[in-house]
Amino acid sequence: MDREVRMIVDKVIKRETDSMLDATERVMSEMGDSRPSKTQIRNLLDVAYYREAASLREICEYIDYLWEKEKMDRKNKNNRNKNISSANKIKVSLEEEVKEIMNAIKEEAGEMDSAVEKEKQGIELLIAEKYFGYLYWKFTVNEAEKGKSNGGWT
């Protein structure tokens, strides 16, 4: 990625940190107890971090795959439907955050808008990486709080 574009991207992502934290908190509360596993979220983080996906669209397809796979693996029909709903909530939240941050990056870039557009897929993956990192943190904190309320760590 072009050095100047990377500086703009880093600046905007840092500025938008609270927005991403709020988005991950919202999606966690919307999912309630019908959340995917922490391992699934870690897998999504790894896909973005190690650039195993080439684009945001590929990550969204991977989310569909993970939850379809879980749907086939689970025996409890009620949990299947809830987790599919959770997968959609995560996808929608991710796509909204990426769109908002990409618009902010383009606005910040001004005349360099075409350079940003050229690097769009890489930038989207950086944003997804941050998003899943924050979501993973939220899952970890949630599990710790659940453990405390059950009288210990689980």
Side-chain angles (χ1 to χ4, degrees), residues 1-153:
M1 184 178 303
D2 178 81
R3 187 174 190 277
E4 289 180 75
V5 171
R6 182 59 193 239
M7 289 174 59
I8 292 168
V9 168
D10 288 345
K11 178 182 176 181
V12 173
I13 287 176
K14 285 178 184 172
R15 189 175 66 215
E16 296 295 326
T17 296
D18 285 348
S19 172
M20 275 195 277
L21 289 168
D22 291 345
T24 57
E25 196 165 305
R26 260 190 319 278
V27 79
M28 286 286 290
S29 67
E30 288 172 6
M31 288 186 291
D33 290 334
S34 62
R35 297 180 183 135
S37 71
K38 184 176 164 185
T39 302
Q40 288 173 314
I41 298 304
R42 180 62 202 204
N43 289 342
L44 292 169
L45 173 58
D46 288 346
V47 164
Y49 180 78
Y50 294 112
R51 302 302 185 260
E52 294 171 4
S55 65
L56 179 64
R57 181 177 176 196
E58 188 175 353
I59 289 174
C60 290
E61 294 289 332
Y62 184 62
I63 291 170
D64 290 339
Y65 161 76
L66 285 176
W67 275 271
E68 276 300 314
K69 184 175 180 288
E70 181 174 317
K71 184 172 99 175
M72 292 185 310
D73 291 345
R74 286 195 176 217
K75 293 179 182 167
N76 185 340
K77 184 178 179 181
N78 292 332
N79 283 341
R80 277 189 237 157
N81 293 333
K82 289 179 185 175
N83 283 334
I84 291 168
S85 173
S86 295
N88 287 330
K89 287 176 183 171
I90 290 171
K91 274 182 18 183
V92 167
S93 176
L94 172 64
E95 290 171 330
E96 287 173 357
E97 281 302 300
V98 168
K99 183 178 179 181
E100 287 176 24
I101 294 171
M102 282 300 298
N103 287 338
I105 289 169
K106 287 176 183 177
E107 187 176 308
E108 183 77 27
E111 293 177 10
M112 292 186 60
D113 188 351
S114 62
V116 168
E117 192 60 36
K118 182 178 165 189
E119 301 287 348
K120 182 180 177 189
Q121 288 183 323
I123 296 168
E124 288 177 341
L125 291 175
L126 284 171
I127 298 166
E129 175 189 336
K130 283 287 191 186
Y131 179 90
F132 289 125
Y134 296 146
L135 192 58
Y136 186 76
W137 289 357
K138 296 282 184 193
F139 269 75
T140 302
V141 168
N142 184 265
E143 284 184 358
E145 289 172 352
K146 259 180 143 174
K148 288 178 185 175
S149 69
N150 292 334
W153 296 93

